[in-house]
Amino acid sequence: MAPRFSAIASRQYYQFVASSQPRRGRRIISSIVGSLGTVAVILAVLGLFVSSFIGSSSAASSTVRSALESENVRRVMAEELVVKLEEGGDSGERVVIRAAHSTVVNAVEKSLGKQSLRDAAGAATATFYGVYLEGRPSTTVDIQIFADEAFSAVQLVDPSIPFGVSPKIDPIVVSRGRDDLDLASIRSQILLVPWAMLVGGLVLLALSLSLSVTKKWLWCRRLGIRIIAWGFMLLLAANIARRMDFGDDSGGHLVKALVSFVMSRLIQWSIVLTISGVVVTLLGAIMNRRSAHELGK
């Protein structure tokens, strides 16, 4: 009797092992495919994040207007404008400023927050974008308004400066040469990448779900946990980038201000991504528990 029972137990054990091996293989493949799909979707989201800055002339214009709402960006520009005023601009007519440098910079920085200057900066950006990326004809961009506004702000803190001596800034010629890179086609190809990755990622996630041997709501919960992990990693990367040092010169200060502006936007996107992951995780957990409860009835 005992040998017969042992043989039955052995046969059942080998049947269990034989049936569990394909399930384990499907589980591993589903996990790998799901991870790749999640990565593809996250990278697609990052690509769409970048395209929200430069995807079109209107997007680039809106980005510049938003950047001028940042005090750090305005301050770096104010520093450059004050130096330009002191050096006399393109005409070489120097302006002697008797007020403290920091006071002058503060006044110019506040003036750059005006809606008229933000609109002018956005229009100039759209012009550059149109010529270099949309094939529009060559033109010029007049940036004298920035020098005039900065000069007016300086006069408020140093009334000794006479009127009518604002340094003249030559218009910027915006043109493309025949041998220049075809930025328009490069942009089009770049903008296709995030959408392709998004579609590919969703296909991989659907394949992962079909291969999964676990319940669909349990799979959904695991997907949410992956999204949360990526959200936290992006938040960490954005905060590290905001604290990086790019040098003590004016160029380094400008890069730091722009990076801080972009990373602030990325932090917002990362928070939304993390919250989405939390929602997916909770939905999967609740529905999985409800399904188990209904099966137990």
Side-chain angles (χ1 to χ4, degrees), residues 92-237:
E93 299 175 0
R94 299 172 61 88
V95 177
V96 179
I97 304 174
R98 294 179 175 82
H101 181 77
S102 59
T103 303
V104 176
V105 172
N106 288 337
V108 174
E109 180 268 316
K110 291 180 180 178
S111 71
L112 291 176
K114 292 182 177 180
Q115 185 65 43
S116 58
L117 286 186
R118 292 205 302 269
D119 291 342
T125 302
T127 299
F128 277 95
Y129 195 100
V131 172
Y132 288 110
L133 292 170
E134 295 178 347
R136 295 180 185 174
S138 301
T139 185
T140 58
V141 174
D142 188 1
I143 59 174
Q144 184 64 40
I145 183 177
F146 297 98
D148 292 341
E149 196 65 45
F151 183 76
S152 298
V154 172
Q155 282 183 316
L156 291 177
V157 297
D158 187 3
S160 64
I161 298 176
F163 290 94
V165 295
S166 176
K168 301 303 178 184
I169 307 297
D170 295 337
I172 299 175
V173 178
V174 186
S175 62
R176 288 186 67 251
R178 293 182 177 179
D179 297 330
D180 292 344
L181 288 174
D182 187 1
L183 298 178
S185 62
I186 295 175
R187 181 205 59 169
S188 299
Q189 294 172 6
I190 291 176
L191 293 179
L192 284 175
V193 172
W195 290 107
M197 295 192 71
L198 180 61
V199 173
L202 293 176
V203 170
L204 288 175
L205 289 176
L207 180 61
S208 172
L209 178 60
S210 65
L211 291 173
S212 178
V213 295
T214 59
K215 298 177 181 179
K216 65 177 182 179
W217 293 116
L218 186 60
W219 177 91
C220 182
R221 188 181 69 180
R222 292 173 179 173
L223 173 63
I225 293 173
R226 292 195 196 106
I227 295 175
I228 292 173
W230 273 100
F232 277 117
M233 284 191 289
L234 290 177
L235 281 171
L236 179 61

Side-chain angles (χ1 to χ4, degrees), residues 11-176:
R11 189 183 308 112
Q12 291 177 344
Y13 171 76
Y14 286 117
Q15 288 176 350
F16 170 77
V17 171
S19 62
S20 64
Q21 286 180 347
R23 289 171 60 87
R24 180 182 301 175
R26 288 186 61 180
R27 185 183 302 113
I28 293 173
I29 294 174
S30 175
S31 179
I32 293 174
V33 172
S35 298
L36 291 175
T38 305
V39 172
V41 170
I42 297 300
L43 292 178
V45 169
L46 288 177
L48 294 174
F49 166 72
V50 173
S51 68
S52 69
F53 288 98
I54 57 173
S56 64
S57 58
S58 59
S61 176
S62 176
T63 297
V64 171
R65 291 198 301 271
S66 298
L68 284 177
E69 295 178 1
S70 169
E71 182 178 344
N72 292 332
V73 175
R74 292 201 308 268
R75 187 161 190 86
V76 174
M77 293 184 63
E79 289 275 1
E80 292 296 314
L81 284 171
V82 170
V83 171
K84 197 75 171 177
L85 290 174
E86 292 174 337
E87 294 177 349
D90 295 319
S91 63
E93 299 175 0
R94 299 172 61 88
V95 177
V96 179
I97 304 174
R98 294 179 175 82
H101 181 77
S102 59
T103 303
V104 176
V105 172
N106 288 337
V108 174
E109 180 268 316
K110 291 180 180 178
S111 71
L112 291 176
K114 292 182 177 180
Q115 185 65 43
S116 58
L117 286 186
R118 292 205 302 269
D119 291 342
T125 302
T127 299
F128 277 95
Y129 195 100
V131 172
Y132 288 110
L133 292 170
E134 295 178 347
R136 295 180 185 174
S138 301
T139 185
T140 58
V141 174
D142 188 1
I143 59 174
Q144 184 64 40
I145 183 177
F146 297 98
D148 292 341
E149 196 65 45
F151 183 76
S152 298
V154 172
Q155 282 183 316
L156 291 177
V157 297
D158 187 3
S160 64
I161 298 176
F163 290 94
V165 295
S166 176
K168 301 303 178 184
I169 307 297
D170 295 337
I172 299 175
V173 178
V174 186
S175 62
R176 288 186 67 251

